[in-house]
């Protein structure tokens, strides 16, 4: 999806240097995979609850791929070594 499509669907954007993260609370199933996956990036006790640059872009991508609902999406902005 493009950023425009995500924002139109109600996703909120959290910007990072190399990767942008998008979250849609209406879709979230509260599985906790994200907060368990990386508490430095995803921490519901903090505002903002997502701080993208607290981990490498590849790590943020890894955690988002474990989101079961699609509530978390990302757009990689630069090529990063895998
Ligand atoms: S992993 Fe996805 S569905 Fe689960 S709590 Fe996080 S955002 Fe919500």
């Amino acid at each position: 999806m493009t950023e425009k499509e995500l924002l139109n669907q109600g996703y909120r954007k959290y910007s990072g240097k190399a990767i942008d993260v998008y979250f849609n609370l209406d879709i979230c199933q509260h599985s906790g995979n994200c907060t368990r996956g990386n508490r430095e990036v995803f921490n519901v006790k903090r505002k903002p609850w997502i701080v993208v640059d607290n981990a490498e872009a590849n790590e943020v991508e890894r955690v988002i791929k474990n989101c079961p609902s699609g509530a978390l999406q990302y757009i990689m902005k630069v090529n990063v070594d895998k």
Side-chain angles (χ1 to χ4, degrees):
M1 266 190 283
T2 65
E3 171 168 309
K4 191 169 176 213
E5 288 168 336
L6 289 166
L7 297 178
N8 281 344
Q9 288 181 26
Y11 281 80
R12 185 163 169 202
K13 180 178 181 180
Y14 297 81
S15 296
K17 286 201 293 274
I19 185 172
D20 287 335
V21 174
Y22 302 82
F23 173 67
N24 189 331
L25 180 62
D26 294 337
I27 297 174
C28 177
Q29 295 170 347
H30 305 285
S31 67
N33 289 17
C34 51
T35 51
R36 270 196 306 277
N38 191 309
R39 285 184 202 282
E40 302 300 319
V41 177
F42 302 98
N43 183 343
V44 292
K45 293 184 181 144
R46 178 187 62 202
K47 280 194 174 183
W49 81 280
I50 302 173
V51 178
V52 179
D53 287 336
N54 276 359
E56 296 294 325
N58 285 343
E59 166 65 2
V60 175
E61 177 182 49
R62 179 192 71 79
V63 175
I64 291 177
K65 283 184 171 169
N66 284 326
C67 172
S69 67
L72 284 170
Q73 302 284 336
Y74 67 91
I75 294 176
M76 198 67 85
K77 299 197 285 191
V78 298
N79 285 329
V80 288
D81 293 334
K82 297 270 175 188

